Amino acid sequence: MAFEPVLTKGIGKLDLVDIEVYESQGGYQALRKALKQMTPEDVHNEVKKANLRGRGGAGFPAGIKWGFLPDDGRPRYLCCNADESEPGTFNNKMLIEYNPHLLIEGILLAAYATKAAQSFIYIRGEFKRGYETLVKALAQAKAKGYVGRNILGSDFSQEITIHRGAGAYICGEETGLLSSLEGGRGEPRIKPPFPAVSGLYGCPTVVNNVETLCNVPFIVDRGAEWFLSIGTEKSPGTKIFSVSGKVRRPGNYELPLGVTLRELLEEHAGGLLPGRTLKAVQPGGASSPVLLPEHLDIPLDFDSVQAAGSILGTAGVIVFDDTVCMVRTALYYADFFSHESCGQCTPCREGTAWTARILRRIEQGQGTEHDLEVLRSLKETMSGTTICLLSDFSITYLQSVLKHFEDEFKAHVHGRSCGLHAREVRSA
Amino acid sequence: MSAPAWVEKHKEKIEEIIARYPKKRSALMPLLHLAQEERGWIADEDIEAVAAILGETKSVVESVCSFYSLFYRRPMGKYVITVCGNITCGLSGAQELVDHLERRLGIKVGETTPDGLITLLVTGECIAACDGAPALQVNLEYCGNVTPERADEIIELIKKGEDPAAISDRFGIPPVKAV
Ligand SMILES: Cc1cc2nc3c(=O)[nH]c(=O)nc-3n(C[C@H](O)[C@H](O)[C@H](O)COP(=O)(O)O)c2cc1C
Ligand code: SF4
């Protein structure tokens, strides 16, 4: 039997934005169940038992994160991270635009479990349609008594505030998000203190990704045992893989964690374009080191991908075939990180800009062996030296292609183009 | 300088926005969005108005505003076309698309057509539309798989004054791909 999706079930067939359609599919039943039969601790425990690992990139268990909140009388806040800006990642956008009530229900349950005073959705500015969809869905949920004071006649009250970003990748980093939500520049802050201890307005705060929160209603409704029966032992549940690049059918595919890369690409994403061969795959966003054709049979779960030398990250899977110049791919990312560095830390601000400059001259056939040496040594200056992880993340993919595709870099350095079509996208 | 018209027009909305947050300062970005929706960009008087509403200095508001690429501090065309310049779109012909748009519109990236209708931009952000690469946004409404032919059709609709949301309804990216 084909695997039945959970989070994306009905998308493309039903208008789940309409609250009545969502309810007809069992929507808001988990909220009812929690408020009638479960204490906040029960909900928290169920999520902990389910080992729901964060879907925003790091895979940290949500139940454990919620447990870090100190109980000291300060108000607590819940922030849903809907800044989704990781290159190659577009599953949060789909959930928001086509299943917004699932997210709202997930937020309500997480707020109930963590005893949050108020919840926020930080949605990137580019998601205008997503913002409007959420505003509409939230109004419906309020009208039905799912959001607001004394929800469904219980003691539990919750407001959800939707906050629009305005174009800045770094606001996806949780402390950058908080700075932005407080009305500032989206500059990350030094951790510790972690948001759980000192987050929004200096109060205990949970930040969770959209997809993480969308799993919560199902865990509450069907139980942790059910959740643990999907996926692998250490990476339970499903994951929405965003597949793009050189495949026939790019798109979002919700599959059990642990599905092989081969099955994802060949059975779901339609395989490679006609006549092409596979060169490399990035399994989880801009910072994920490349996987090679020899890795096609690895299971896509947090630990297996790490064991293969990469990270599952956001599960934004980008496929490169034999038409793709790997020097060019590194340059795209270098330009991206240089553009997105918030500029607070010198190694990041200068490092990302110089990386892009050096890669550009290599790509144009004007680089030297020494340039390659400099690129290989970036870890010493750019890793572990900055406020947030953007600096570290900006070089991990580069290091992997320098290693696995050294011949292509050498070809560029020695004045020969790699012969592959590769044009730069100019911005003004 | 007198306050811009949106301050009076949206008096209640402004109060409602401020009330959403435990601290007033959090209303800074929503107020900039509000100002930009009215004018299409953010003028000096908008910065001043936001500062006055929140009791912050102009330089605070300016410094926050300048951090975000979607707040425009100069006049924009009625339609802003933003082509995604990130990796998947780049590998799928984004530069060819930009070349085509420049030729077709007679402007360079960053410029606005002389009639004030269209501004052409390329963004360094990934706009999360990689399943429809190359992709662009028209006033933040998505269009995917934008071949030169589709780009021409989009421009024709813009010239007819079509609503960006309706353009996206026709040229957007379906959530589920046909097998
Ligand atoms: C540079 C950078 C960008 C990030 N962008 C995002 C993002 O767009 N969305 C997201 O959910 N997490 C993003 N994260 C991770 C967040 O900091 C945070 O770990 C996450 O939202 C936690 O949610 P989760 O535990 O549910 O995964 C980013 C991290 C870094 C370092
Ligand atoms: S590492 Fe880069 S993005 Fe992060 S805080 Fe420092 S300068 Fe900003």
Side-chain angles (χ1 to χ4, degrees):
Chain A
M1 201 182 76
F3 168 75
E4 176 152 286
V6 180
L7 310 177
T8 58
K9 191 175 168 210
I11 291 182
K13 299 188 193 89
L14 302 172
D15 180 16
L16 294 165
V17 179
D18 181 336
I19 196 164
E20 309 221 330
V21 175
Y22 179 70
E23 287 174 323
S24 76
Q25 302 303 303
Y28 289 110
Q29 283 307 323
L31 179 67
R32 261 176 220 284
K33 176 179 173 185
L35 296 184
K36 291 223 162 71
Q37 305 169 19
M38 299 166 84
T39 63
E41 290 73 20
D42 291 339
V43 174
H44 184 179
N45 278 332
E46 208 60 30
V47 170
K48 217 191 282 179
K49 249 198 307 193
N51 188 20
L52 169 61
R53 298 178 66 171
R55 305 308 200 224
F60 192 82
I64 295 181
K65 193 193 274 189
W66 298 357
F68 292 152
L69 297 167
D71 210 350
D72 56 9
R74 285 179 296 165
R76 297 167 166 191
Y77 297 110
L78 175 74
C79 296
C80 167
N81 190 341
D83 194 58
E84 186 173 65
S85 313
E86 191 65 26
T89 310
F90 44 91
N91 50 45
N92 288 182
K93 172 167 170 270
M94 178 197 216
L95 289 169
I96 291 165
E97 287 184 12
Y98 296 97
N99 209 353
H101 287 290
L102 179 62
L103 177 59
I104 291 172
E105 189 175 6
I107 289 172
L108 292 168
L109 289 165
Y112 180 66
T114 57
K115 301 180 185 159
Q118 188 176 348
S119 299
F120 298 86
I121 303 174
Y122 187 101
I123 180 165
R124 67 180 293 191
E126 289 83 353
F127 289 173
K128 177 171 179 278
R129 183 74 67 104
Y131 172 75
E132 288 163 357
T133 306
L134 279 172
V135 168
K136 183 175 152 198
L138 189 62
Q140 292 176 352
K142 272 190 186 160
K144 289 246 180 187
Y146 295 127
V147 175
R149 295 210 64 77
N150 298 99
I151 296 172
L152 300 172
S154 72
D155 291 341
F156 175 60
S157 301
Q158 192 68 199
E159 286 298 337
I160 301 175
T161 298
I162 309 169
H163 187 91
R164 275 186 85 190
Y169 169 72
I170 198 59
C171 293
E173 197 282 335
E174 56 188 10
T175 60
L177 182 154
L178 297 174
S179 298
S180 181
L181 189 46
E182 289 176 359
R185 296 163 66 85
E187 289 167 347
R189 310 166 183 174
I190 290 179
K191 295 189 271 192
F194 288 91
V197 175
S198 179
L200 190 62
Y201 313 118
C203 294
T205 302
V206 167
V207 182
N208 273 133
N209 173 261
V210 168
E211 190 184 352
T212 312
L213 292 165
C214 283
N215 275 287
V216 177
F218 296 103
I219 293 171
V220 170
D221 190 40
R222 302 178 189 179
E225 289 305 322
W226 163 82
F227 191 77
L228 289 163
S229 74
I230 304 170
T232 68
E233 195 191 334
K234 288 188 175 157
S235 301
T238 69
K239 180 81 193 77
I240 308 175
F241 295 91
S242 302
V243 186
S244 71
K246 304 295 184 182
V247 289
R248 285 185 213 225
R249 216 163 48 237
N252 283 314
Y253 299 98
E254 183 186 5
L255 294 163
L257 276 158
V259 65
T260 63
L261 183 56
R262 186 186 299 282
E263 183 187 328
L264 175 66
L265 299 187
E266 292 176 3
E267 287 180 33
H268 301 282
L272 297 173
L273 301 173
R276 305 269 55 118
T277 53
L278 181 66
K279 195 173 208 177
V281 178
Q282 259 193 301
S287 59
S288 57
V290 279
L291 295 176
L292 302 169
E294 71 203 54
H295 293 121
L296 271 173
D297 291 306
I298 68 156
L300 297 174
D301 60 68
F302 291 104
D303 306 288
S304 304
V305 177
Q306 200 162 357
S310 188
I311 50 165
L312 185 61
T314 59
V317 179
I318 308 183
V319 178
F320 303 132
D321 67 15
D322 55 336
T323 65
V324 175
C325 165
M326 299 310 276
V327 179
R328 161 61 64 197
T329 64
L331 179 53
Y332 275 119
Y333 287 129
D335 279 336
F336 171 70
F337 284 116
S338 165
H339 181 260
E340 302 301 338
S341 168
C342 84
Q344 287 187 101
C345 319
T346 308
C348 177
R349 184 186 61 245
E350 300 300 317
T352 52
W354 275 104
T355 305
R357 228 174 289 174
I358 294 171
L359 275 168
R360 177 157 287 106
R361 70 175 175 244
I362 293 175
E363 206 269 333
Q364 293 170 346
Q366 281 147 18
T368 62
E369 283 285 344
H370 179 252
D371 284 335
L372 294 180
E373 275 313 304
V374 172
L375 293 181
R376 283 193 203 98
S377 73
L378 290 175
K379 201 162 181 292
E380 290 158 34
T381 44
M382 291 178 70
S383 270
T385 53
T386 55
I387 294 173
C388 88
L389 285 171
L390 184 137
S391 184
D392 306 60
F393 285 176
S394 74
I395 56 167
T396 42
Y397 173 77
L398 172 61
Q399 298 309 314
S400 79
V401 283
L402 277 170
K403 181 167 154 209
H404 294 297
F405 296 95
E406 194 182 8
D407 49 334
E408 290 194 25
F409 283 85
K410 295 238 174 200
H412 281 267
V413 163
H414 296 293
R416 288 172 280 128
S417 156
C418 62
L420 296 172
H421 177 77
R423 289 190 61 197
E424 187 169 349
V425 191
R426 275 177 300 108
S427 52
Chain B
M1 199 187 286
S2 66
W6 60 266
V7 176
E8 187 54 36
K9 179 175 158 199
H10 291 301
K11 215 171 161 178
E12 278 162 35
K13 174 122 199 226
I14 292 168
E15 275 167 30
E16 184 269 316
I17 288 172
I18 292 170
R20 287 177 201 166
Y21 300 94
K23 294 206 174 163
K24 208 173 177 182
R25 171 74 185 262
S26 288
L28 202 158
M29 287 177 74
L31 292 179
L32 288 175
H33 276 300
L34 190 65
Q36 183 158 293
E37 267 159 37
E38 288 295 314
R39 195 189 298 275
W41 59 288
I42 291 167
D44 290 347
E45 60 175 20
D46 297 323
I47 298 276
E48 277 179 40
V50 172
I53 292 167
L54 298 178
E56 301 285 347
T57 62
K58 277 187 290 178
S59 55
V60 162
V61 178
E62 186 78 81
S63 120
V64 175
C65 182
S66 66
F67 190 82
Y68 300 96
S69 58
L70 289 182
F71 290 139
Y72 309 130
R73 280 293 270 122
R74 62 191 170 99
M76 288 292 183
K78 187 159 175 252
Y79 292 82
V80 179
I81 297 180
T82 310
V83 179
C84 177
N86 215 296
I87 187 158
T88 306
C89 288
L91 295 175
S92 308
Q95 183 54 42
E96 288 73 6
L97 173 60
V98 172
D99 289 346
H100 179 79
L101 286 168
E102 285 187 336
R103 265 198 311 274
R104 175 70 211 249
L105 298 171
I107 53 172
K108 295 279 170 212
V109 172
E111 294 176 354
T112 301
T113 53
D115 58 2
L117 189 65
I118 300 173
T119 301
L120 179 62
L121 300 177
V122 169
T123 179
E125 307 274 342
C126 168
I127 61 173
C130 323
D131 51 341
L136 56 76
Q137 292 193 304
V138 178
N139 292 3
L140 304 182
E141 293 283 353
Y142 283 93
C143 297
N145 301 105
V146 189
T147 55
E149 296 72 41
R150 275 165 75 84
D152 287 345
E153 289 179 57
I154 291 166
I155 290 172
E156 281 313 312
L157 289 175
I158 288 177
K159 286 189 171 158
K160 285 190 193 136
E162 184 64 279
D163 176 25
I167 296 175
S168 175
D169 287 341
R170 263 185 69 186
F171 293 91
I173 305 158
V176 177
K177 302 293 175 311
V179 178

